[in-house]
Amino acid sequence: MELIKLTIDNRAVEVEKGTTVFHAAKKLGIEIPTLCYMNLADLNIEHKPGGCRVCVVEVEGRRNLAPSCATECNEGMVVKTNSMRVLNSRRTVLELILSDHPFDCLICAKSGYCDLQNMAIKMGVRSIPYQGEKSTYKPDFSPAIIREMDKCIMCRRCETMCNDFQTVGVLSGINRGFEAVVAPAFERDLDHSECTYCGQCVAVCPTGALTEVDHTPQVIRALADPTKTVVVQTAPAVRAALGEEFGLEPGTLVTGKLAAALRRLGFDYVFDTDFAADLTIMEEGSELLDRLGRFLGGDKSVKLPMLTSCCPGWVNFFEYNFPDMLDVPSTARSPQQMFGSIAKSYFADKIAVDRKEMVVVSIMPCVAKKFEASREEFKVDGNPDVDFSISTRELAALIKGANIDFNTLPDEDFDKPLGESTGAGVIFGVTGGVIEAAVRTAYELHTKKTLEKVDFKQLRGLEGIRSASVDFDGVEIKIGIAHGLGNARKLLEDIKAGKSEFHAIEIMACPSGCIGGGGQPLHHGDSSILKARSKAIYTEDELKVLRKSHENPYIIKLYDEFLGKPMSEKAHHLLHTHYFARKLKHIDID
Amino acid sequence: MTSVKLKLKENDVKKIQEICKSFNNEPGELINVLHKTQEYFGYLPAEVQEEVAEGLGISVAKVYGVVTFYSFFTMLPKGRYPISVCTGTACYVRGAEKVLDEFKRILKVAVGETTPDGKYSITCLRCVGACGLAPVVMVGDKTYGRVTTDGVKDILKEYENE
Ligand code: SF4
Ligand code: SF4
Ligand code: SF4
Ligand code: FES
């Protein structure tokens, strides 16, 4: 390892060869402002197009200012990060960006969270000396994401997520000069592209150019309607991140306060998607055992590996990209949809409410779940199983708007019966968690023995693709795990080529799984936040008395009273689904 | 960008695949592949771009990004008599815009479009290096210099009976 010495703002620093000036300065505690640069180090995503030039510094002996995020340190370099020339240039760059930006801050969904706004505040911009034409684009409203390209600053972070990390390839920079913008092919709407609605572009967009569709007004209306019974479910990953919106340390578990806040907001029943996650395990785990059993019994027509299907971003991805492999994923619906289906049948019957008078709201870390909730398969006579799916961020806005002091709320429990869950349901929120939960149950159902140790540490971690094997009493079960659709694609290509050795594969579209979902509090490029959330999820699992889905007493009761057994006809009807080949061609789109 | 719908024939698809193959299906050769493809089809409609993307194993959005970045790629078929008006600085200050407007007015099409009968299309050019003759108009390979708004009619008359 070669070391390099240089001086930044009159202070000496030594760094490894290849380090950028930005990182060298950081080592000295000097935070050079950036706008287009993004570094998700734990996920190996570094985006440094060197485009915005907000991060410029003066390098002695060079005529032009250099973008520190994309300039490597040299031996003996003398750098100034705050000279008059640097400050002036930085301000000019910012003013030019602002001169082609709508002044919508008062009504913008990103207001208060926007990197551009924060930069203007930090630099104390009070007027824009440049007047010129502003670019205007038609806003694009899809079922889950809104694109308002008037607010795009061409940092191109979204492209990196969509193309390099997710390999979905929906977004690309198009046109040139003043007209340059990021858009889907032929400037179609997202709805007419192969977008998976994973929301990772939304998660990294520094401005309000990409936001989720806001469903909070509909939720408020439902809550205010006395004729409606409003039932809420909240996904595992939400409790590990919501606190950040209220200034709590990343990784603070707020499960009890979350339940209390939902009750204060006026939901009639405060339930937990973790319950439905336990249910998912019963169905998905049984399906896996069924496929495995038949396979080991010599039936070669059985599709293996079986892939998990609880991530709607992933479901969209394989429907578009692997239309010839639709029989590989499990047919089990996602926990969100299982919950909706059971709430509007079993539970509605129990409390004698017509499904049309019941409104199911879900709180999700996810943008794709909005789209999933709107799918036709998940409606009965036009009435959706899940009426509104809102993100963790939208929930925070609801809580703030209702004058609830979140941090002083007492810890409360979820309601019964659909609020009871095991540790297995909790870990659904993090990469590796779904398959670990499935293994805990499948193992016991298969071997009829009690697990000595429920923690399968070999399934955990943040590597993009992981593999492990679990001993099912003499039968070795090989498991693959991928998070991020680019990683998923690799595993899928292997299956296609007949090279896959796995029996089961878990896939989540978002980096680190749902805890890094497109609807979570913004991480602003700090991936240590994702690690903290992951830790919180495993802590909650450990704190649970019950940690295996099939031990959840309310799940047992649900099967006894209503469903019969896993994979029964009724279970198939209410808890399973089918997939569609959705390859898009221009000629077919109007 | 406006575009036209086109159902590709089997032959067309084959041709695009051949072109991609002649560049080893190398994503880095996108621009060259698009050049060759446009040479063959005369333009690059969406359906053709989709095949190119398939052939090179890249996203359609990327292909479209490149097509819209370079002005020599077009998504619309050219007319039999493609009219190009130079809007470089010299031509511009000597009234190229008025000339352009006159063509648009008479032919009732916008820049980048083709008349419904497929006869004329209008495009703008960056400087063609004939600044002494500004404003310059080209119809196919033929160059017209010092064009005035009144002259537009005369130019079109030349092609009236063709
Ligand atoms: S939601 Fe996901 S797939 Fe869709 S454009 Fe954004 S990053 Fe790409
Ligand atoms: S849409 Fe957002 S993330 Fe994408 S280039 Fe524009 S500002 Fe950047
Ligand atoms: S990983 Fe989770 S948050 Fe991301 S798209 Fe899938 S279900 Fe949604
Ligand atoms: S942050 Fe360095 S150029 Fe944009």
Side-chain angles (χ1 to χ4, degrees):
Chain A
M1 183 177 63
E2 200 181 324
L3 287 178
I4 282 173
K5 287 200 193 79
L6 69 160
T7 320
I8 304 178
D9 293 347
N10 300 322
R11 291 161 65 196
V13 63
E14 207 173 30
V15 293
E16 253 176 67
K17 192 178 159 70
T19 308
T20 59
V21 173
F22 171 79
H23 284 293
K26 205 175 181 124
K27 217 176 157 193
L28 288 169
I30 302 167
E31 278 291 336
I32 302 174
T34 57
L35 207 46
C36 63
Y37 178 70
M38 171 177 76
N39 185 17
L40 292 165
D42 297 318
L43 304 164
N44 292 322
I45 306 169
E46 193 177 21
H47 170 76
K48 42 179 177 183
C52 76
R53 308 196 88 77
V54 157
C55 67
V56 286
V57 293
E58 200 169 340
V59 180
E60 214 175 83
R62 290 201 196 173
R63 210 151 53 88
N64 295 327
L65 297 179
S68 62
C69 72
T71 304
E72 278 185 19
C73 298
N74 287 332
E75 184 63 38
M77 222 180 198
V78 178
V79 177
K80 287 254 167 11
T81 76
N82 55 9
S83 68
M84 192 67 168
R85 194 173 155 217
V86 166
L87 295 183
N88 280 339
S89 159
R90 187 170 294 150
R91 171 176 293 268
T92 306
V93 162
L94 185 62
E95 285 170 349
L96 279 171
I97 296 173
L98 291 174
S99 74
D100 184 20
H101 200 84
F103 288 166
D104 280 356
C105 290
L106 279 176
I107 51 167
C108 179
K110 268 287 176 49
S111 193
Y113 301 87
C114 170
D115 292 350
L116 182 63
Q117 190 184 44
N118 288 341
M119 188 79 59
I121 293 169
K122 180 176 161 128
M123 297 217 221
V125 177
R126 290 291 170 266
S127 64
I128 312 293
Y130 310 100
Q131 294 288 329
E133 204 186 331
K134 291 198 186 195
S135 26
T136 50
Y137 301 90
K138 187 168 72 49
D140 168 9
F141 299 98
S142 73
I145 292 171
I146 304 176
R147 294 173 57 245
E148 283 182 84
M149 287 301 112
D150 296 3
K151 297 178 186 168
C152 174
I153 58 170
M154 277 308 273
C155 69
R156 309 184 79 159
R157 289 185 194 177
C158 53
E159 272 184 85
T160 291
M161 293 312 282
C162 191
N163 303 333
D164 302 345
F165 187 70
Q166 300 294 49
T167 67
V168 173
V170 159
L171 299 174
S172 171
I174 61 157
N175 298 332
R176 62 167 12 161
F178 179 69
E179 272 153 25
V181 71
V182 174
F186 317 120
E187 283 149 85
R188 283 178 197 148
D189 291 343
L190 269 190
D191 201 16
H192 285 144
S193 75
E194 296 185 352
C195 173
T196 66
Y197 297 122
C198 71
Q200 283 309 312
C201 52
V202 176
V204 300
C205 180
T207 71
L210 297 171
T211 52
E212 76 267 43
V213 174
D214 180 11
H215 283 115
T216 54
Q218 288 92 323
V219 173
I220 293 172
R221 215 169 297 138
L223 289 170
D225 184 343
T227 68
K228 300 282 185 215
T229 302
V230 192
V231 174
V232 68
Q233 56 164 324
T234 165
V238 175
R239 67 210 65 195
L242 179 64
E244 292 162 31
E245 289 279 336
F246 300 94
L248 300 176
E249 272 300 301
T252 310
L253 275 171
V254 294
T255 319
K257 290 190 195 316
L258 168 61
L262 292 170
R263 215 162 267 130
R264 304 275 185 295
L265 281 170
F267 288 102
D268 297 304
Y269 294 93
V270 178
F271 289 145
D272 197 350
T273 313
D274 292 14
F275 171 86
D278 280 336
L279 186 56
T280 304
I281 288 305
M282 296 307 291
E283 294 296 325
E284 211 168 64
S286 304
E287 192 183 348
L288 175 63
L289 282 180
D290 176 62
R291 286 201 205 182
L292 268 179
R294 281 193 288 142
F295 180 77
L296 296 173
D299 180 354
K300 296 295 173 223
S301 71
V302 177
K303 285 286 170 187
L304 281 178
M306 188 181 87
L307 278 71
T308 57
S309 56
C310 29
C311 165
W314 151 236
V315 169
N316 290 337
F317 183 74
F318 72 68
E319 285 186 326
Y320 282 126
N321 294 282
F322 296 89
D324 46 348
M325 292 168 70
L326 299 182
D327 50 352
V328 179
S330 160
T331 57
R333 296 185 192 178
S334 74
Q336 160 170 284
Q337 293 310 136
M338 284 204 182
F339 180 95
S341 180
I342 292 297
K344 286 201 177 178
S345 55
Y346 173 71
F347 183 64
D349 289 351
K350 250 188 185 330
I351 58 168
V353 168
D354 190 278
R355 70 172 284 141
K356 290 199 185 63
E357 301 310 320
M358 180 182 275
V359 177
V360 172
V361 176
S362 54
I363 318 291
M364 293 285 144
C366 182
V367 176
K369 292 256 159 65
K370 286 178 185 282
F371 171 79
E372 184 186 43
S374 74
R375 288 181 86 129
E376 287 305 318
E377 316 87 274
F378 300 139
K379 290 179 185 166
V380 175
D381 301 329
N383 178 273
D385 290 344
V386 173
D387 294 81
F388 307 111
S389 182
I390 65 171
S391 66
T392 312
R393 293 191 293 265
E394 287 171 270
L395 174 64
L398 276 181
I399 295 173
K400 289 172 188 167
N403 307 328
I404 295 168
D405 182 5
F406 186 79
N407 294 339
T408 60
L409 285 173
D411 285 342
E412 292 181 6
D413 282 331
F414 291 107
D415 292 323
K416 295 189 168 49
L418 309 185
E420 189 66 34
S421 67
T422 72
V426 177
I427 56 177
F428 259 63
V430 58
T431 172
V434 171
I435 209 74
E436 180 169 344
V439 165
R440 288 180 192 174
T441 286
Y443 177 92
E444 293 202 351
L445 294 185
H446 175 74
T447 63
K448 314 256 181 328
K449 288 185 193 162
T450 308
L451 264 180
E452 304 280 324
K453 240 175 72 255
V454 296
D455 294 308
F456 290 89
K457 294 252 160 75
Q458 69 267 43
L459 300 173
R460 302 180 184 179
L462 276 188
E463 273 297 299
I465 299 180
R466 307 193 294 287
S467 63
S469 51
V470 179
D471 178 20
F472 269 40
D473 224 12
V475 184
E476 191 194 13
I477 304 296
K478 294 204 181 94
I479 290 169
I481 298 165
H483 57 117
L485 295 170
N487 294 324
R489 185 188 286 280
K490 289 186 197 135
L491 292 186
L492 242 54
E493 298 288 1
D494 280 354
I495 299 174
K496 209 173 179 172
K499 286 195 309 200
S500 182
E501 292 197 327
F502 298 119
H503 297 106
I505 295 179
E506 176 207 279
I507 289 172
M508 296 192 192
C510 294
S512 332
C514 303
I515 51 166
Q520 291 281 61
L522 300 171
H523 49 61
H524 293 281
D526 181 355
S527 49
S528 72
I529 293 178
L530 301 182
K531 275 192 176 158
R533 292 178 190 163
S534 158
K535 213 166 145 236
I537 292 273
Y538 286 117
T539 306
E540 174 125 325
D541 170 33
E542 273 164 31
L543 292 173
K544 289 268 190 181
V545 183
L546 298 177
R547 300 181 62 193
K548 292 169 252 172
S549 299
H550 57 288
E551 290 178 351
N552 182 335
Y554 290 90
I555 291 284
I556 297 171
K557 208 163 149 208
L558 173 66
Y559 279 105
D560 280 350
E561 290 180 3
F562 188 64
L563 291 169
K565 53 184 194 359
M567 313 252 294
S568 68
E569 215 184 298
K570 197 160 192 177
H572 258 289
H573 176 62
L574 290 169
L575 307 177
H576 290 254
T577 186
H578 47 276
Y579 306 111
F580 302 88
R582 297 204 282 155
K583 188 87 201 138
L584 283 180
K585 282 281 179 203
H586 185 74
I587 198 87
D588 305 320
I589 298 170
D590 45 47
Chain B
M1 213 183 240
T2 37
S3 68
V4 290
K5 289 255 171 193
L6 181 79
K7 182 123 183 71
L8 291 183
K9 293 193 197 68
E10 217 170 287
N11 260 350
D12 298 337
V13 175
K14 245 213 205 112
K15 180 72 200 174
I16 299 170
Q17 284 167 353
E18 265 166 34
I19 295 174
C20 291
K21 201 149 168 229
S22 70
F23 288 97
N24 293 323
N25 301 77
E26 195 38 71
E29 297 283 358
L30 175 59
I31 294 183
N32 292 328
V33 168
L34 288 175
H35 261 298
K36 278 266 177 279
T37 314
Q38 179 159 305
E39 237 167 61
Y40 180 79
F41 289 95
Y43 66 121
L44 295 168
E47 290 76 5
V48 167
Q49 294 181 43
E50 282 175 344
E51 284 305 326
V52 170
E54 183 100 27
L56 300 182
I58 54 178
S59 76
V60 194
K62 268 269 126 61
V63 176
Y64 180 70
V66 168
V67 168
T68 53
F69 187 84
Y70 295 102
S71 55
F72 44 76
F73 292 129
T74 168
M75 283 183 64
L76 289 170
K78 285 220 170 85
R80 269 175 289 132
Y81 300 101
I83 300 166
S84 314
V85 181
C86 176
T87 47
T89 319
C91 289
Y92 193 85
V93 296
R94 295 219 197 140
E97 199 176 9
K98 285 211 187 80
V99 171
L100 183 62
D101 285 343
E102 185 66 4
F103 275 114
K104 289 200 287 194
R105 192 185 64 82
I106 298 178
L107 299 175
K108 297 192 186 65
V109 288
V111 175
E113 287 182 0
T114 303
T115 51
D117 59 2
K119 190 164 178 183
Y120 299 108
S121 57
I122 311 180
T123 46
C124 292
L125 277 181
R126 309 250 160 89
C127 186
V128 290
C131 304
L133 295 173
V136 174
V137 170
M138 291 179 72
V139 179
D141 292 334
K142 197 163 170 197
T143 309
Y144 299 84
R146 306 223 169 82
V147 181
T148 59
T149 38
D150 291 340
V152 168
K153 255 193 256 94
D154 301 331
I155 294 177
L156 288 174
K157 209 169 249 151
E158 284 183 35
Y159 301 90
E160 209 170 54
N161 299 318
E162 308 224 6

